[in-house]
Amino acid sequence: MRKIIFSLIMMAVGTIVQAQSLWDTSKPDERFTFGLKAGVNFASTDAEYANSTRTGFHVGGTVDYNIVKCISVSSGITFTQKGFKSNFGKADAYYLQVPVLAAYHFEAPTGVKFIINAGPYFAYGIGGKVSYAPSDIMFDYDFHQDSFGKRGFFNDFEMGLTAGVYVQIAKLLFGFNYELGLSDMARVYSKYHNRNAAFSVGYQF
């Protein structure tokens, strides 16, 4: 994963050096741009009891409000799977997530476009299960527990920060983003902040 991230960063840096226009403030071709995206998540946490990455997925729609050609505000809604694995069990946590990102666009001489974005995200937990072994029980709940709700393992609302790098070829996008959860999601034990590295493939209309 580190090699892929490093390659994307170096590709973006190399393109910046060769780019014809790094600050194109002319009027955008379209004020709004819509798209779809899907990909794989590698979710983790800073909690002491969760010591392994949980592989999941995400799928959703995107919308960009294009201020000028090189600057936009990106948002949308994504159904995304997070959670954790540990010695005593595992957790699946499904969220509806909305980012509000500042995005910078630039184009290489070859026509390949690059996008760098960053900003906050807001998520609401809608489902999932947590299971843990009786021999390592640390909670007052059943061995199988809902991820969210009145007796859920996690708090329902989450807020965090995310940043990403994307490559756009024609209408296809390929990218990586990292999410740093700021909300303490733990209801019953210790502290729990989500972490997530995500690889995406998208299509813009």
Side-chain angles (χ1 to χ4, degrees), residues 50-196:
N51 52 17
S52 182
T53 299
R54 181 72 167 147
T55 303
F57 69 93
H58 63 270
V59 61
T62 63
V63 58
D64 277 74
Y65 175 72
N66 303 301
I67 301 171
V68 294
K69 280 194 173 181
C70 68
I71 298 292
S72 70
V73 176
S74 297
S75 188
I77 187 166
T78 302
F79 177 79
T80 184
Q81 179 187 15
K82 302 180 186 180
F84 67 81
K85 287 183 178 180
S86 73
N87 293 332
F88 68 83
K90 63 180 182 179
D92 286 317
Y94 300 99
Y95 296 85
L96 289 179
Q97 186 163 299
V98 177
V100 182
L101 311 175
Y104 169 58
H105 309 246
F106 60 92
E107 185 173 343
T110 58
V112 176
K113 296 179 181 179
F114 290 83
I115 303 167
I116 301 171
N117 61 30
Y121 70 86
F122 306 90
Y124 182 78
I126 59 172
K129 292 288 184 180
V130 178
S131 61
Y132 36 92
S135 60
D136 291 317
I137 187 68
M138 291 177 285
F139 313 102
D140 296 326
Y141 298 96
D142 296 335
F143 299 151
H144 296 281
Q145 182 180 350
D146 290 337
S147 294
F148 303 103
K150 289 184 178 180
R151 293 177 62 83
F153 192 91
F154 304 115
N155 292 314
D156 294 342
F157 292 95
E158 183 192 8
M159 183 182 73
L161 298 175
T162 182
V165 178
Y166 296 84
V167 178
Q168 181 175 352
I169 303 174
K171 292 184 176 295
L172 292 176
L173 286 93
F174 307 89
F176 166 82
N177 73 285
Y178 186 79
E179 299 169 3
L180 181 72
L182 300 180
S183 302
D184 184 2
M185 302 302 294
R187 240 182 225 271
V188 295
Y189 181 73
S190 186
K191 290 186 177 181
Y192 181 104
H193 298 88
N194 280 319
R195 306 286 186 260
N196 186 42

